[in-house]
């Protein structure tokens, strides 16, 4: 065991003293320093879409790095950002017209909340309340933690978190309480925006709801002039079976947050897109109406070139076909799992499969998660259960044989952990 000064994210170092050293990655595989090959069953925290080091994306990064590494993005622009913005507007839901750059999912959501509040202030309406779903996750900054579910993750910061209106999670076939709560909250007239993760609440436990529910939540917001923010930081670029999850409901959000898969997972980048009305509310010769937000690395050219290359991969390669194939492989594996008494709540949307371990302690801090993770790693599989919720979210290049062996490794590991 080597000692390192590094403090890792979401890591209890007292329970996890050693970090694996990874030296290489290719396709769906990581390679550790000791030569062990590890299957990346969670797409390196949900960011890798096509696979690690897609050659076209790597080449674009190399080309761009040799030309322009970074430039201030106020008063200046550059081709990779312009090409990416134009490319995005061609594929996002209709109505979105402006693209604001930042560098992480959390920041894209902060930007979305600030855009919404700025809109209402600039048009002279006193709407400042934010509504969000129960079990939501929108990031780890103070603002995004405020919008997200409260729990062990953010208990220490609770005094600083702002109050949001909480709408119950739409349980499958029991979404009416969600609609009622949303309707009642919207009617009060003080709501600036409703934010949600379309079709699947990720970090909240891979909780899936249907497109009709998403459409109805959107309809209620629109009926009350409440801005609808779609946090597609995780779902964007194919995860749920379509490029964007919103497509399945046929809705156009007023504000759309994209990150993780935006660069194919190669470099950090995020965008927040909005409708013309929001941009127009900030467009003024009055400097006080400026949208006051910036990150040092806003629209970093190398990251933009990676994202632009990702769009090209989508245009030139059969990405959706790969996603459909992977989704079908997931469905087949889950079919075998369904009657297995060790598992419960077997569910799937697009490429994401999730289920709970039956008859174990529930919740994020469940001990079983850490044990299971360690056992799986020994078998060369990276999974990271959210407490007793196990999910498999592999890159799109994953073959049927690879996926089948992940499920076999999981089955063995569960036996070992429950023994
Ligand atoms: C991961 C995630 C975020 C936060 O993104 P970071 O890049 O980790 O800041 C926000 N919203 C959703 C839905 C996410 O899954």
């Amino acid at each position: 065991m080597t000692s390192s000064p590094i403090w890792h994210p979401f890591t209890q170092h007292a329970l996890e003293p050693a970090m694996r050293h990874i030296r290489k990655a290719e396709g769906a595989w990581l390679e550790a320093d000791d030569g062990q090959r590890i299957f990346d069953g969670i797409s390196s925290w949900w960011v890798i879409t096509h696979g690690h080091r897609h050659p076209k994306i790597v080449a674009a990064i190399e080309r761009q790095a040799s030309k322009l590494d970074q430039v201030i993005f106020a008063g200046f622009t550059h081709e990779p950002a312009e090409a990416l913005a134009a490319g995005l507007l061609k594929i996002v839901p209709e109505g979105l017209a402006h693209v604001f750059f930042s560098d992480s999912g959390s920041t894209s959501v902060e930007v979305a909340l600030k855009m919404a509040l700025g809109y209402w202030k600039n048009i002279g309406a006193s709407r400042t309340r934010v509504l969000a779903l129960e079990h939501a996750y929108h990031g780890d900054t103070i603002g995004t933690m405020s919008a997200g579910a409260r729990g062990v993750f953010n208990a220490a910061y609770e005094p600083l978190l702002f109050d949001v209106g909480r709408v119950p999670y739409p349980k499958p076939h029991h979404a009416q309480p969600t609609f009622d709560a949303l309707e009642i909250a919207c009617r009060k007239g003080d709501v600036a925006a409703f934010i949600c993760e379309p079709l699947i609440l990720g970090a909240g436990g891979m909780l899936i709801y249907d497109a009709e529910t998403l459409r109805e939540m959107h309809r209620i917001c629109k009926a009350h002039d409440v801005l609808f923010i779609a946090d597609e930081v995780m779902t964007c670029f194919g995860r749920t079976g379509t490029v964007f999850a919103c497509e399945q409901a046929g809705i156009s959000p007023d504000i759309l947050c994209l990150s993780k898969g935006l660069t194919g997972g190669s470099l950090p980048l995020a965008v927040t897109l909005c409708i013309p009305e929001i941009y127009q509310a900030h467009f003024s010769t009055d400097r006080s109406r400026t949208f006051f937000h910036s990150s040092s690395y806003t629209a970093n050219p190398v990251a933009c070139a990676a994202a632009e290359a990702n769009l090209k991969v989508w245009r030139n390669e059969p990405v959706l076909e790969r996603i459909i194939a992977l989704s079908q492989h997931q469905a087949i594996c889950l079919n075998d799992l369904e009657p297995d008494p060790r598992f419960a709540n077997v569910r799937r949307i697009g490429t994401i499969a999730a289920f709970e371990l039956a008859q174990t302690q529930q919740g994020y801090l469940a001990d079983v998660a850490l044990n299971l993770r360690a056992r799986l790693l020994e078998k060369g599989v990276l999974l990271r259960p959210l407490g007793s919720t196990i999910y498999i979210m592999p890159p799109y290049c994953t073959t049927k044989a690879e996926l089948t062996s992940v499920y076999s490794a999981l089955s063995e590991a569960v036996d070992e952990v429950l023994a």
Side-chain angles (χ1 to χ4, degrees):
M1 206 185 304
T2 53
S3 78
S4 162
I6 295 172
W7 194 345
H8 288 259
F10 268 72
T11 298
Q12 178 44 270
H13 283 264
L15 294 171
E16 292 176 76
M19 302 293 125
R20 289 303 297 275
H21 277 243
I22 299 299
R23 66 183 176 197
K24 220 174 158 267
E26 180 145 16
W29 293 86
L30 305 171
E31 186 184 299
D33 250 7
D34 60 7
Q36 188 194 15
R37 273 163 49 85
I38 300 167
F39 182 85
D40 191 353
I42 58 165
S43 297
S44 281
W45 249 347
W46 321 346
V47 300
I48 300 292
T49 50
H50 314 292
H52 287 271
R53 286 177 46 243
H54 188 292
K56 293 274 163 47
I57 296 176
V58 172
I61 291 170
E62 286 172 350
R63 260 197 317 277
Q64 186 55 43
S66 70
K67 277 192 286 192
L68 172 66
D69 51 353
Q70 165 70 9
V71 62
I72 176 174
F73 206 61
F76 294 88
T77 190
H78 48 74
E79 181 55 23
E82 296 293 341
L84 174 59
L88 283 171
L89 289 183
K90 285 196 189 113
I91 58 170
V92 293
E94 212 174 291
L96 296 162
H98 298 276
V99 182
F100 193 94
F101 285 95
S102 62
D103 38 30
S104 75
S106 298
T107 323
S108 74
V109 173
E110 294 281 354
V111 166
L113 296 173
K114 287 174 72 173
M115 277 181 179
L117 272 285
Y119 167 77
W120 291 111
K121 173 151 201 308
N122 285 352
I123 68 165
S126 57
R127 287 184 179 237
T128 55
R129 193 158 172 78
V130 172
L131 301 179
L133 283 179
E134 178 194 15
H135 303 308
Y137 177 79
H138 297 292
D140 283 332
T141 55
I142 296 291
T144 58
M145 279 193 295
S146 299
R150 307 299 161 86
V152 66
F153 306 103
N154 45 43
Y157 327 110
E158 181 75 36
L160 289 187
L161 304 186
F162 58 79
D163 182 42
V164 305
R166 198 65 64 187
V167 176
Y169 158 71
K171 291 200 184 87
H173 314 296
H174 295 286
Q176 196 57 43
T178 303
F179 303 147
D180 293 345
L182 185 57
E183 175 85 41
I184 289 166
C186 284
R187 255 191 224 144
K188 292 193 182 125
D190 62 347
V191 178
F194 169 66
I195 181 167
C196 73
E197 296 156 84
L199 301 186
I200 175 165
L201 281 63
M206 299 297 161
L207 302 171
I208 298 168
Y209 62 94
D210 60 35
E212 223 166 289
T213 298
L214 177 58
R215 194 179 316 128
E216 179 62 9
M217 294 194 302
H218 180 260
R219 189 198 64 76
I220 293 168
C221 289
K222 289 301 88 195
H224 297 278
D225 283 333
V226 166
L227 293 173
F228 189 96
I229 304 173
D231 177 356
E232 293 227 29
V233 167
M234 178 185 86
T235 50
C236 67
F237 290 96
R239 270 294 156 206
T240 65
T242 46
V243 182
F244 302 103
C246 282
E247 288 171 32
Q248 295 180 40
I251 60 160
S252 291
D254 301 305
I255 303 178
L256 174 66
C257 305
L258 310 176
S259 186
K260 296 191 169 111
L262 177 58
T263 60
S266 60
L267 285 173
L269 185 69
V271 291
T272 308
L273 297 104
C274 73
I275 53 170
E277 289 85 341
I278 294 173
Y279 178 83
Q280 285 305 329
H282 291 84
F283 185 86
S284 167
T285 50
D286 175 356
R287 285 170 189 275
S288 72
R289 288 167 164 256
T290 305
F291 185 53
F292 291 111
H293 193 94
S294 147
S295 311
S296 306
Y297 288 100
T298 302
N300 171 262
V302 182
C304 286
E308 161 66 355
N310 172 46
L311 296 192
K312 284 204 185 109
V313 169
W314 273 87
R315 283 197 294 269
N316 301 331
E317 296 182 21
V319 181
L320 265 184
E321 281 86 335
R322 281 176 209 150
I323 287 170
I324 290 165
L326 173 59
S327 304
Q328 283 166 350
H329 299 154
Q330 286 276 39
I332 291 165
C333 292
L334 288 183
N335 256 343
D336 293 343
L337 210 98
E338 189 106 52
D340 191 323
R342 294 173 300 167
F343 304 104
N345 307 324
V346 176
R347 57 197 183 272
R348 179 185 69 86
I349 183 166
T351 65
I352 308 169
F355 36 88
E356 265 80 48
L357 274 183
Q359 298 155 353
T360 53
Q361 182 198 348
Q362 304 290 310
Y364 180 81
L365 298 183
D367 291 334
V368 71
L370 208 57
N371 288 336
L372 200 54
R373 217 200 291 166
R375 294 299 174 115
L376 281 159
L377 206 48
E378 284 167 15
K379 300 176 196 300
V381 174
L382 165 59
L383 291 183
R384 197 181 161 92
L386 296 155
S388 57
T389 300
I390 300 170
Y391 68 92
I392 303 173
M393 194 193 294
Y396 306 155
C397 61
T398 302
T399 64
K400 189 177 180 190
E402 285 169 337
L403 193 65
T404 306
S405 60
V406 169
Y407 278 83
S408 314
L410 176 66
S411 179
E412 285 170 25
V414 167
D415 277 344
E416 291 167 14
V417 165
L418 297 182

